[in-house]
Amino acid sequence: MALHIEKISKSKISSVDFNNLKFGQIFTDHMFECDYENGAWQTPKIRPYQPIAFDPSAKVFHYGQAVFEGMKAYKDDNNDVWLFRPDQNQERINKSAERLDMPAFPKEYFFEGLTELLKLDKDWVQKGEGNSLYIRPFVIATENCVSASASTNYKFMIICSPVQAYYAGEVRVEIADKYSRSANGGVGYAKAAGNYAASFYPAKLAAQKGYQQVLWTDASTHELLEEAGTMNVFFRVNDTLLTAPTSERILDGVTRKSIIQFAEDKGIKVEVRPVKVAEIVEAAKKGELLEMFGAGTAAVISPILGFAHKGEKFELPKVENSYASFIKKSITDIQRNLAEDKFGWRYKIQ
Ligand SMILES: Cc1ncc(COP(=O)(O)O)c(C=O)c1O
């Protein structure tokens, strides 16, 4: 594959305060891009990070034909840079693209672009606990035409942003009983831009009531617990971990599947099955709901301290031997090359 590389003349890295990063606001020196024209992906390029110009009629602005991914790179004490299960993100962006009638991006382009970009911007991956480089691959529809149909042209890009440990603060969630983020036959399983746009308003209403996330339920009955914000969710009832099966309504999270595999390997009982609002409310009332947590790339695991359902409020107990803390530490140690990689999840940039 011919990859055209144009390097920056001077890095802006010295102007960045790595101890005071707000999530996703600072970007590295370079970006990867590749255009789809005349029915084929053209020569991919790495260029200095910069604004890009589009015609106002570009389809992405009108119809939201856009998909994205989120992944992270970590640097170990030997200055080696690692990704966590990038094959999963590569497959998922093409699954998302297919649902939005966008062309698949070739696997070898994805990996060569990512590798070369990370080699060029290696200094931006900071060592140390909590530090990582957030990687955002995305595809947008670029055809200049306002007719409501799939675009003929696309742009695939990868941009990277240095981030610190993601701490969402104390998280309490409101169980959705009116709005939905997805429905059967819809695009919930795709990482489609519009899924997120549609979640902001219900999330704002929940925030006004003091809840940091909406815990989404199935659209038809609001009786099944599905996912929260940009995270899949787990419930610990006594010593069993429960999580919903993936479906056409739920994003197949890389963190979720890693937690299931890791927990089962450690002998923790995991039940992947529809989780009813009623059983979780009941378990909370009986004191059997010991933990709830979100699982996603940004925070790995984000404990949920309480929830509300139809105005009724529940607080979770403080537990010793928390599954959330144990699993989070174990998975981040694997990501950072501090623990044995029994499952072959790490991917070295070289
Ligand atoms: C809706 C949704 N659910 C779950 C996740 C968690 O997925 P992952 O663990 O692959 O980051 C994300 C984030 O990508 C998401 O946007």
Side-chain angles (χ1 to χ4, degrees), residues 12-291:
K12 59 189 183 221
I13 197 166
S14 60
S15 68
V16 175
D17 178 359
F18 282 93
N19 295 316
N20 276 304
L21 296 168
K22 289 212 177 112
F23 188 88
Q25 290 190 342
I26 302 278
F27 292 89
T28 62
D29 286 325
H30 298 91
M31 60 189 195
F32 172 82
E33 63 186 318
C34 187
D35 291 318
Y36 185 87
E37 288 164 8
N38 305 316
W41 291 102
Q42 307 295 310
T43 304
K45 289 180 275 194
I46 289 179
R47 289 199 291 149
Y49 187 89
Q50 61 192 278
I52 40 179
F54 292 107
D55 194 277
S57 69
K59 283 194 174 179
V60 65
F61 298 136
H62 305 273
Y63 307 114
Q65 203 188 4
V67 296
F68 67 101
E69 267 306 320
M71 50 209 289
K72 279 181 171 176
Y74 309 86
K75 189 179 272 177
D76 68 16
D77 289 339
N78 299 323
N79 284 327
D80 285 326
V81 174
W82 301 90
L83 295 170
F84 184 70
R85 310 188 73 178
D87 52 314
Q88 300 288 319
N89 302 90
Q90 186 273 323
E91 284 170 20
R92 193 169 65 186
I93 200 166
N94 283 343
K95 233 186 250 174
S96 300
E98 182 184 30
R99 178 62 183 82
L100 286 250
D101 199 15
M102 303 165 89
F105 191 63
K107 183 174 180 179
E108 60 279 15
Y109 281 29
F110 184 95
F111 277 99
E112 185 163 353
L114 190 56
T115 301
E116 292 309 315
L117 186 61
L118 288 175
K119 280 191 196 164
L120 277 177
D121 286 345
K122 190 172 185 211
D123 292 347
W124 292 80
V125 195
Q126 300 278 299
K127 281 192 231 182
E129 197 181 337
N131 296 328
S132 62
L133 188 71
Y134 183 78
I135 301 166
R136 168 55 59 89
F138 63 101
V139 197
I140 51 174
T142 53
E143 185 190 356
N144 302 329
C145 174
V146 294
S147 82
S149 58
S151 181
T152 52
N153 296 353
Y154 297 90
K155 188 182 277 292
F156 177 100
M157 297 195 74
I158 304 176
I159 55 175
C160 302
S161 173
V163 294
Q164 291 172 281
Y166 187 90
Y167 174 59
E170 293 205 337
V171 177
R172 289 181 175 76
V173 297
E174 184 176 41
I175 297 180
D177 62 3
K178 176 174 179 191
Y179 295 99
S180 304
R181 76 171 282 282
S182 64
N184 290 340
V187 295
Y189 70 89
K191 225 164 150 54
N195 283 339
Y196 299 82
S199 74
F200 298 155
Y201 178 67
K204 179 176 76 179
L205 298 182
Q208 285 167 351
K209 290 185 258 174
Y211 300 98
Q212 289 72 31
Q213 297 280 354
V214 176
L215 178 42
W216 298 109
T217 48
D218 68 295
S220 33
T221 67
H222 294 298
E223 284 174 5
L224 300 174
L225 294 162
E226 306 220 303
E227 49 183 334
T230 56
M231 297 182 298
N232 297 105
V233 279
F234 285 80
F235 306 86
R236 174 181 173 189
V237 176
N238 293 320
D239 285 336
T240 303
L241 269 184
L242 308 177
T243 193
T246 51
S247 71
E248 56 191 333
R249 303 188 299 266
I250 296 184
L251 193 86
D252 184 4
V254 180
T255 317
R256 173 190 172 281
K257 67 176 73 160
S258 307
I259 291 173
I260 294 171
Q261 198 175 343
F262 175 82
E264 284 178 340
D265 184 66
K266 288 288 169 200
I268 295 174
K269 190 168 169 218
V270 184
E271 287 180 15
V272 179
R273 59 161 175 83
V275 182
K276 291 197 177 122
V277 177
E279 69 178 299
I280 294 304
V281 166
E282 168 98 6
K285 285 184 177 164
K286 286 202 216 146
E288 293 175 355
L289 179 66
L290 303 185
E291 292 181 73

